[in-house]
Amino acid sequence: MTLLEAKQSLGIIGCGTMGEAIVRGILRSGGLAPTQIFASDARAEVAAALAANHGIRTGTDNLAVAMACDVALLAVKPHQMAAVLGNDAMRVALAHKLVISIAAGVRLEKLCGYLPKSATIRAMPNTPALIGEGMAGLARGKGTSDEQMALGLALFAAVGKSQEVDEAHMDIVTALVGSGPAFVFVMIDALADGAVRLGLRRDTAVAMAAQMVQGAARMVVQTGRHPAALKDQVTTPGGCTAAGLSVMEDGKIRSVLARTIEETARVAGKLG
Ligand SMILES: NC(=O)c1ccc[n+]([C@@H]2O[C@H](COP(=O)([O-])OP(=O)(O)OC[C@H]3O[C@@H](n4cnc5c(N)ncnc54)[C@H](OP(=O)(O)O)[C@@H]3O)[C@@H](O)[C@H]2O)c1
């Protein structure tokens, strides 16, 4: 079921980096029409820019958005959640509606505490949603139906891929999916640095590194083969790739990347 087919209206509370990425991505994909989206942000200038850029209804009144929408997406920072949800009027406005929070580390138990009569989903998307290449993990609260979960999954599928996960795994998903793009951006920058050091132009190096990473990722997805098998396929015995891989192993690259996810997940668990 697509969101358009469901004929539901989406309310977005908090329109910073992620809120706007989701608005932009959903409109770009045709998942919803501009008239189906109503968004609010604490900053009047952010709300006004969003209306001007996307033709959606916006304002600074969270309660008006909560009352008008069928499905609410909470896209404020974890520490701003209490200011948004901690009042009776909001609890009443969102009762019997589907409420999806993308705040890192905010557990379903806490969301349900604020909104005992709402169906809740805790989601972790990422900024590639902006270009329709996002990934999102979604965990459902008690009482959230299969139909509501399908709607939540469809919302994020409009801007990439989405998958249901157990809430026990959400801090891991936060590290891998939510923070992951930052780690890959650093890798692209570092690979380009190496090429620049050897004389390649910076713009050429960044463009080539980025396309190479995209191609490699797509090969993993499209072939379904294990990344190690794909690596072996390009590693000629005694060749240059084998030499480069030795340098990566000297630098403990696998353990650095795996520990990056572990540490990020540990900190994500404390954010809520
Ligand atoms: N950025 C990512 O890559 C990413 C990825 C996955 C999930 N997330 C999650 O997404 C959420 C939003 O992150 P973000 O990076 O988009 O943050 P952000 O850019 O700071 O956006 C949050 C927006 O909400 C506004 N806001 C603050 N208090 C508000 C209130 N009471 N009512 C309405 N609007 C309010 C903020 O205004 P002010 O600037 O004035 O505070 C800001 O414009 C976070 O919980 C984060 O954990 C982020």
Side-chain angles (χ1 to χ4, degrees), residues 13-19 40-43 46 62 75-78 80 83-84 102-104 124-127 178:
I13 296 178
C15 286
T17 309
M18 277 314 294
S40 61
D41 194 275
R43 296 178 194 230
V46 169
N62 295 337
V76 295
K77 294 279 189 198
Q80 296 163 335
V84 172
I102 63 166
M124 181 45 58
N126 61 13
T127 49

Side-chain angles (χ1 to χ4, degrees), residues 79 162 217:
H79 71 273
S162 57

Side-chain angles (χ1 to χ4, degrees), residues 91-105:
R91 192 175 5 258
V92 171
L94 293 175
H96 313 297
K97 293 181 178 177
L98 175 60
V99 180
I100 303 171
S101 161
I102 63 166

Side-chain angles (χ1 to χ4, degrees), residues 54-248:
H54 304 294
I56 62 170
R57 244 188 329 156
T58 66
T60 54
D61 185 352
N62 295 337
L63 195 55
V65 168
M67 289 195 293
C69 71
D70 298 309
V71 176
L73 183 79
L74 308 174
V76 295
K77 294 279 189 198
H79 71 273
Q80 296 163 335
M81 206 54 97
V84 172
L85 298 180
N87 61 82
D88 288 341
M90 190 57 95
R91 192 175 5 258
V92 171
L94 293 175
H96 313 297
K97 293 181 178 177
L98 175 60
V99 180
I100 303 171
S101 161
I102 63 166
V106 177
R107 302 191 187 290
L108 285 164
E109 190 185 8
K110 191 161 190 177
L111 270 182
C112 294
Y114 284 124
L115 305 168
K117 292 189 174 161
S118 305
T120 51
I121 290 177
R122 177 180 168 196
M124 181 45 58
N126 61 13
T127 49
L130 190 60
I131 56 160
E133 292 287 350
M135 179 68 226
L138 281 74
R140 67 170 99 184
K142 278 193 203 109
T144 300
S145 68
D146 287 347
E147 198 182 325
Q148 288 167 320
M149 192 64 193
L151 200 63
L153 288 166
L155 175 78
F156 292 101
V159 290
K161 291 187 177 172
S162 57
Q163 194 172 322
E164 182 168 4
V165 293
D166 203 278
E167 189 183 27
H169 294 149
M170 277 307 276
D171 293 335
I172 308 170
V173 173
T174 300
L176 194 57
V177 166
S179 304
F183 308 144
V184 176
F185 296 145
V186 168
M187 285 184 239
I188 291 172
D189 190 28
L191 291 166
D193 272 350
V196 169
R197 211 176 299 157
L198 293 171
L200 206 61
R201 278 173 54 108
R202 166 76 54 188
D203 54 353
T204 305
V206 170
M208 286 187 166
Q211 176 58 26
M212 177 278 295
V213 168
Q214 172 166 260
R218 282 193 190 282
M219 269 188 84
V220 174
V221 173
Q222 287 179 18
T223 65
R225 295 188 67 196
H226 192 285
L230 293 169
K231 181 259 297 170
D232 286 350
Q233 201 181 22
V234 295
T235 309
T236 309
C240 59
T241 306
L245 287 168
S246 297
V247 176
M248 291 182 89

